[in-house]
Amino acid sequence: MARTYRVVLRNRDHACLEVGEEETILAGAEARGFRLPVGCRYGGCITCAAKLIDGKVVQPKGTALKRRQVKAGYILLCVARPRQDCTLEVGVESHDALFVNPFAVRGE
Amino acid sequence: MSSSPAPAPADACPGPGYASPQEAIRAPREKVVYTICLYEGTGVEEPDYLATIDVDPESPTFSQVIARTEMPIIGDELHHMGWNACSSCHGDGSMARRYLIIPGVRTTNFYIVDTATDPRRPTLYKTIDGEEIKRKTNLSAPHTVHCLGSDIIVSMLGDAEGNAPGGFLHLNRDFEIVGRWENDISGMRYNYDFWYQPRHNMMVSSEWAAPNTFLPGFDLEDVGKGKYGQRLHFWDFAGKRIERTIDLGEEGLIPLETRFHHDPDSTHGFVGAALSSNIFHWYKDAAGEVQVEKVIDVPSIEVESFPVPMPGLITDILLSMDDRFLYFSNWLHGDLRQYDISDPSHPVLTGQVWIGGLLGKAPEVNGHRIAGAPQMIQLSLDGKRLYVTTSLFSTWDNQFYPEMKGAGGAMVRVDCDAENGGMTLDPDFFIDFGKEPKGPTRAHETRYPGGDCSSDIWV
């Protein structure tokens, strides 16, 4: 039997989801009736980005997140599967550090 | 210019559209227009929709959104759209300009919307599942939709996993998946827009990037790695294969919208290289060889505190139906320009207006603050009214104009002098998409029910 983990959506009234280890966090959230940002559903477009505050997930190699975005704590909920209990900040309000104007910043 | 036929009586040719560009110019004035509204990256988790906008000054609901045709799910990112039929099947009485084909870039879902039963209240007629398209054709990320006689072809920017180069999807008149349109994709690195000119057996396609590159946003590092396009592909249209590829070089980075002359006998056309912010002109010379030349150069501007000079970013261009004026938007600088292209090798600037933009030249238009800049543009058939929206693409909007997600997009109307050149902002028209009932939306492409300056092709 597959393990399940507790995934807390900190900025959704600390809602607690039970997400199976083979299930994406997005699927777990949608099954509970949450409507979170989503686009491609294959890890290619970062619309569903969320901040991992605590815990651990696995994602396929080569998602659309840049190194800078991964360092800032972002994961892609459409492909991320839990490996520990997790706490997340979700939705566009978690995207404060996701986007930069490339002409306004020095290269990294 | 070819000799134009006299206006045909209404019943002479029962098919859709017009016998010629000259006849299209004389079409009745538009009363409504259709505009893509989208919620991706705004924080409002609602489906995208097609807005019907009243543009008839005599109407009591002038300058308002009068209908919203909502899609079934969230997350599609509706972007560009095209008709099931245009002037390319003017001679076919079994066809009618009835359905808008509206794909979602992020999901590959296609929505077929019936605009004919009630043009003021379009309805969803059919959905093509994006997963089915990916499975049957190994294509994703739809962009430009052109009808082709009674069939439909769509440029697709990636394979099913979002990698380049994509290809072309072929749908039949009943919106069934026929398969891939092209016979051979050899030579194409990336895909984006296309336009065809059948009397010369020509088709031109341009290059953005792989969906996995552009969907998450714009990164200069990706440009350095060669992950963005800089080539134009000239196709053997009947043979459905690339005949010649021209590398535009550093001056031609990210060639986007391709526009042939509307005159079906002309081989001339233009493309805007977005990142390099140059306009290129192509044509076939007397020997039948394709020639490409840079004809307009928009210099980058040093912005205080920005380490990298900022390009204009030419994101949309179009030609008036009489092929006399070229219009384009500089989405980062914030200006919209009109050039006289009577001599296509030597365009002359004849008009310029400022709308929003990062240079801060026009933060307000008609008393409304603009969070964004001129982006998609669509010109009336008579060349006098240009409808302008402000959103480029949700992830790119969030990089360059992050305030748009809370303030919403806008539509303005620019009055164009089709005789002497010149443009002025219309003070009586403004759509504030920040006030939409379910929350602020971005606004993207616009189409006119009777055809417009990027919808119709003459065979």
Side-chain angles (χ1 to χ4, degrees), chain B residues 31-51:
Chain B
K31 289 195 156 54
V32 297
V33 297
Y34 302 121
T35 298
I36 297 289
C37 289
L38 57 144
Y39 277 120
E40 282 69 25
T42 63
V44 177
E45 306 314 331
E46 293 287 343
D48 301 343
Y49 57 93
L50 184 72

Side-chain angles (χ1 to χ4, degrees), chain A residues 10 23 25-26 30 49-50 62 67 80 99 108:
Chain A
R10 194 161 84 170
E23 189 183 14
I25 295 174
L26 183 71
E30 287 178 336
R67 206 179 312 123
F99 296 105
E108 295 151 83

Side-chain angles (χ1 to χ4, degrees), chain B residues 115-416:
Chain B
T115 66
T117 303
D118 182 355
R120 296 175 69 84
R121 194 164 291 277
T123 49
L124 182 60
Y125 167 72
K126 183 178 173 174
T127 299
I128 312 174
D129 179 36
E131 295 305 317
E132 185 188 351
I133 291 171
K134 289 182 195 174
R135 202 169 52 244
K136 289 185 172 165
T137 67
N138 190 30
L139 291 170
S140 74
H143 193 271
T144 304
V145 179
H146 277 302
C147 62
L148 166 65
S150 62
D151 281 15
I152 294 144
I153 47 178
V154 185
S155 58
M156 306 289 286
L157 310 196
D159 67 15
E161 277 80 49
N163 300 304
F168 294 86
L169 171 69
H170 182 184
L171 302 174
N172 69 16
R173 61 190 290 170
D174 300 316
F175 314 109
E176 293 160 340
I177 301 167
V178 178
R180 301 278 287 247
W181 170 81
E182 77 277 5
N183 285 328
D184 186 354
I185 204 77
S186 300
M188 198 167 84
R189 299 207 318 170
Y190 304 109
N191 199 7
Y192 182 67
D193 192 29
F194 72 104
W195 190 296
Y196 63 97
Q197 194 68 307
R199 288 187 196 176
H200 293 282
N201 189 35
M202 289 175 80
M203 180 175 109
V204 177
S205 69
S206 59
E207 296 190 335
W208 188 7
N212 290 344
T213 302
F214 71 75
L215 289 174
F218 177 65
D219 189 333
L220 281 170
E221 232 174 65
D222 287 336
V223 179
K225 289 178 185 161
K227 290 185 168 185
Y228 279 92
Q230 59 183 63
R231 288 168 174 78
L232 274 189
H233 305 287
F234 293 85
W235 292 68
D236 163 4
F237 184 56
K240 304 180 181 180
R241 55 175 48 86
I242 294 171
E243 207 164 54
R244 188 162 169 216
T245 290
I246 293 180
D247 187 338
L248 301 174
E250 286 200 351
E251 299 246 82
L253 283 167
I254 317 188
L256 294 182
E257 312 301 322
T258 59
R259 310 295 188 202
F260 261 108
H261 269 169
H262 297 287
D263 173 5
D265 289 324
S266 170
T267 63
H268 294 263
F270 297 84
V271 62
L275 185 60
S276 304
S277 296
N278 296 317
I279 301 285
F280 288 82
H281 162 227
W282 74 73
Y283 61 102
K284 273 190 175 173
D285 64 16
E289 284 292 310
V290 172
Q291 302 292 335
V292 176
E293 56 179 355
K294 187 182 85 171
V295 292
I296 299 170
D297 186 327
V298 177
S300 296
I301 290 180
E302 298 276 356
V303 181
E304 207 187 324
S305 86
F306 281 21
V308 186
M310 189 171 70
L313 210 74
I314 299 175
T315 47
D316 194 14
I317 76 168
L318 59 80
L319 306 190
S320 61
M321 192 51 71
D322 61 3
D323 294 326
R324 200 177 138 206
F325 291 105
L326 177 149
Y327 293 86
F328 68 81
S329 48
N330 283 307
W331 188 63
L332 294 182
H333 290 178
D335 60 321
L336 187 68
R337 299 191 188 187
Q338 177 200 52
Y339 284 80
D340 186 326
I341 50 164
S342 302
D343 175 355
S345 292
H346 300 97
V348 178
L349 181 65
T350 48
Q352 185 177 28
V353 293
W354 293 87
I355 300 165
L358 290 176
L359 298 180
K361 296 219 180 182
E364 287 193 2
V365 169
N366 295 356
H368 297 266
R369 196 164 176 83
I370 304 289
Q375 207 288 102
M376 291 310 293
I377 52 179
Q378 194 50 269
L379 186 64
S380 58
L381 292 168
D382 64 7
K384 293 179 180 167
R385 293 165 304 283
L386 189 70
Y387 294 86
V388 183
T389 53
T390 51
S391 163
L392 177 61
F393 195 59
S394 64
T395 34
W396 295 43
D397 289 350
N398 280 344
Q399 289 181 275
F400 296 102
Y401 294 104
E403 66 279 22
M404 194 193 294
K405 63 178 177 289
M411 176 186 269
V412 300
R413 188 161 83 181
V414 175
D415 297 321
C416 304

Side-chain angles (χ1 to χ4, degrees), chain B residues 30-141:
Chain B
E30 70 284 356
K31 289 195 156 54
V32 297
V33 297
Y34 302 121
T35 298
I36 297 289
C37 289
L38 57 144
Y39 277 120
E40 282 69 25
T42 63
V44 177
E45 306 314 331
E46 293 287 343
D48 301 343
Y49 57 93
L50 184 72
T52 303
I53 294 166
D54 188 333
V55 296
D56 177 4
E58 307 301 315
S59 162
T61 50
F62 172 65
S63 188
Q64 292 175 29
V65 178
I66 55 169
R68 296 168 184 88
T69 310
E70 209 172 68
M71 301 305 129
I73 63 159
I74 67 167
D76 288 307
E77 186 134 13
L78 305 184
H79 192 64
H80 284 222
M81 53 183 160
W83 291 103
N84 68 309
C86 75
S87 299
S88 65
C89 36
H90 183 63
D92 181 350
S94 72
M95 295 301 295
R97 192 194 309 266
R98 181 176 188 99
Y99 300 105
L100 270 175
I101 297 142
I102 314 179
V105 184
R106 290 182 196 267
T107 58
T108 312
N109 293 330
F110 278 58
Y111 301 105
I112 316 298
V113 170
D114 174 4
T115 66
T117 303
D118 182 355
R120 296 175 69 84
R121 194 164 291 277
T123 49
L124 182 60
Y125 167 72
K126 183 178 173 174
T127 299
I128 312 174
D129 179 36
E131 295 305 317
E132 185 188 351
I133 291 171
K134 289 182 195 174
R135 202 169 52 244
K136 289 185 172 165
T137 67
N138 190 30
L139 291 170
S140 74

Side-chain angles (χ1 to χ4, degrees), chain A residues 35 38 40 42 45-46 66 100, chain B residues 45 75 106 212 216 222 399:
Chain A
R35 219 181 216 195
V38 64
C40 72
Y42 68 80
C45 91
I46 82 167
K66 300 281 178 188
V100 293
Chain B
E45 306 314 331
R106 290 182 196 267
N212 290 344
D222 287 336
Q399 289 181 275

